[in-house]
């Protein structure tokens, strides 16, 4: 079997932790090679190692998901919520087979009249936000049913996996990654009686942004583009999911407590 790996920061090629990991995998009989795009994946590749932090994982996800290859997040960064495996843990984990394969939802975005978007997929969220100083009016429909207009700096549609990312920072709920939901959350809303909304992940969400500025920003995870104000943006589930490899003993609740210090309180000591 072959193991591909993706590195975003070139300096990690010389990191002793990565060199040791690669050597261990090759000693265990895996052929390791580097990729930069889905087209680089070779036949008989069983997994893609994301070498870095959570930002690197998001980029690796767009490479692996269309090919149906699981991603192994190797934490060379700081928080490592998605890249949860320490470098010295990965080779023994793969060799022992004591891991689980999880399937996570992937979003797909399109802009009416714009034509195909290069890499229109997102693992955490699709977001629209202002480019200038003007507040936005955001009209949203869910399966054709209109919501009240959001007056805000922007709006995002997040997966349950993305609930602990940007969505959490704008006041959205934490959702277990096994939850089949989408989160619609405004960014710095000016109408305070409109709260984040959780809908089934089968929903088709359409967004039209009105602004005094000619263009607004649309972001898909860690990639962004500019679109005309008034354009109709559609966000829905992609036709494929992302496979993640994680230790069988890992636990989402424990990750919340250790990575995000969830419930940290002197009364709980």
């Amino acid at each position: 079997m072959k193991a591909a790996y993706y590195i975003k920061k070139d300096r990690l090629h010389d990191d002793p932790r990565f060199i040791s990991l690669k050597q261990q995998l090759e000693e265990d009989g895996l052929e390791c090679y580097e990729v930069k795009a889905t087209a680089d994946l070779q036949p008989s590749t069983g997994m893609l190692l994301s070498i870095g932090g959570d930002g690197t994982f998001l980029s690796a996800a767009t490479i692996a998901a269309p090919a149906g290859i699981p991603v192994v997040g190797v934490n060379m960064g700081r928080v490592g919520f998605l890249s949860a495996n320490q470098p010295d843990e990965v080779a023994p984990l793969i060799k022992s087979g004591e891991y689980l394969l999880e399937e996570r939802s992937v979003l797909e975005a399109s802009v009416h009249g714009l034509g195909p978007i290069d890499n229109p997929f997102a693992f955490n969220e699709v977001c629209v936000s202002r480019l200038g100083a003007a507040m936005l009016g955001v009209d949203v429909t869910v399966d054709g049913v209109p919501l009240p207009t959001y007056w805000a700096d922007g709006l995002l549609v997040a997966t349950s996996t993305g609930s602990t990312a940007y969505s959490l920072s704008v006041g959205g709920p934490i959702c277990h990654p096994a939850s089949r939901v989408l989160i619609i959350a405004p960014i710095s809303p000016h109408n305070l009686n409109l709260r984040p909304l959780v809908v089934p992940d089968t929903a088709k969400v359409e967004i039209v942004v009105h602004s005094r500025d000619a263009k607004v920003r649309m972001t898909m995870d860690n990639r962004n583009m500019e679109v005309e104000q008034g354009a109709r943006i559609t966000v829905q589930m992609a036709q494929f999911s992302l496979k993640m490899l994680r230790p069988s003993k890992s636990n989402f609740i424990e990750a919340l407590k250790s990575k995000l210090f969830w419930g940290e309180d002197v009364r709980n000591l």
Side-chain angles (χ1 to χ4, degrees), residues 39-57:
D40 298 333
L41 291 168
Q42 302 175 10
S44 302
T45 300
M47 64 189 68
L48 173 61
L49 278 67
S50 168
I51 312 296
D54 285 353
T56 301
F57 187 98

Side-chain angles (χ1 to χ4, degrees), residues 163-205:
S163 71
T164 51
Y166 195 4
S167 177
L168 180 62
S169 73
V170 300
I174 293 176
C175 299
H176 192 284
S179 304
R180 307 291 297 183
V181 297
L182 297 179
I183 303 161
I184 301 171
I187 302 167
S188 300
H190 291 247
N191 40 356
L192 300 181
N193 58 344
L194 272 180
R195 299 287 88 197
L197 177 67
V198 177
V199 300
D201 70 353
T202 55
K204 180 179 180 179
V205 180

Side-chain angles (χ1 to χ4, degrees), residues 134-145:
M135 178 175 56
L136 304 180
V138 188
D139 293 330
V140 182
T141 62
V142 179
D143 289 333
V145 179

Side-chain angles (χ1 to χ4, degrees), residues 2-247:
K2 299 178 182 179
Y5 61 89
Y6 174 79
I7 295 179
K8 195 170 186 178
K9 297 181 178 179
D10 287 338
R11 61 177 174 78
L12 293 180
H13 285 96
D14 300 320
D15 191 300
R17 295 171 295 172
F18 167 67
I19 294 172
S20 176
L21 169 59
K22 186 171 180 287
Q23 183 178 356
Q24 283 184 286
L25 292 173
E26 290 173 340
E27 289 175 354
D28 291 338
L30 274 73
E31 179 183 340
C32 300
Y33 67 98
E34 187 173 6
V35 298
K36 292 295 184 183
T38 303
D40 298 333
L41 291 168
Q42 302 175 10
S44 302
T45 300
M47 64 189 68
L48 173 61
L49 278 67
S50 168
I51 312 296
D54 285 353
T56 301
F57 187 98
L58 294 174
S59 297
T62 64
I63 295 173
I69 294 175
V71 180
V72 185
V74 183
N75 184 15
M76 308 285 278
R78 288 167 293 182
V79 177
F81 203 86
L82 296 173
S83 299
N85 304 291
Q86 295 302 313
D88 60 350
E89 299 171 343
V90 174
L93 179 69
I94 294 172
K95 186 176 182 179
S96 67
E98 295 180 356
Y99 55 79
L100 298 175
L101 279 178
E102 285 187 345
E103 293 208 6
R104 300 287 185 92
S105 300
V106 178
L107 295 172
E108 182 172 4
S110 61
V111 181
H112 182 71
L114 188 62
I117 298 174
D118 182 34
N119 195 358
F121 306 110
F123 184 53
N124 276 345
E125 74 279 315
V126 174
C127 168
V128 290
S129 59
R130 61 188 177 93
L131 272 173
M135 178 175 56
L136 304 180
V138 188
D139 293 330
V140 182
T141 62
V142 179
D143 289 333
V145 179
L147 304 181
T149 298
Y150 288 93
W151 295 97
D153 285 352
L155 181 131
L156 60 85
V157 180
T159 62
S160 53
T161 299
S163 71
T164 51
Y166 195 4
S167 177
L168 180 62
S169 73
V170 300
I174 293 176
C175 299
H176 192 284
S179 304
R180 307 291 297 183
V181 297
L182 297 179
I183 303 161
I184 301 171
I187 302 167
S188 300
H190 291 247
N191 40 356
L192 300 181
N193 58 344
L194 272 180
R195 299 287 88 197
L197 177 67
V198 177
V199 300
D201 70 353
T202 55
K204 180 179 180 179
V205 180
E206 291 190 322
I207 302 167
V208 179
V209 181
H210 304 286
S211 174
R212 292 197 299 270
D213 297 315
K215 293 188 176 183
V216 298
R217 177 182 289 110
M218 184 170 83
T219 305
M220 294 156 286
D221 284 343
N222 53 359
R223 309 174 313 281
N224 67 78
M225 59 184 291
E226 294 181 8
V227 298
E228 301 289 336
Q229 74 85 26
R232 182 173 298 276
I233 300 166
T234 300
V235 182
Q236 58 191 344
M237 300 310 302
Q239 295 301 307
F240 55 85
S241 58
L242 173 70
K243 296 180 176 65
M244 286 181 62
L245 185 151
R246 67 171 180 86

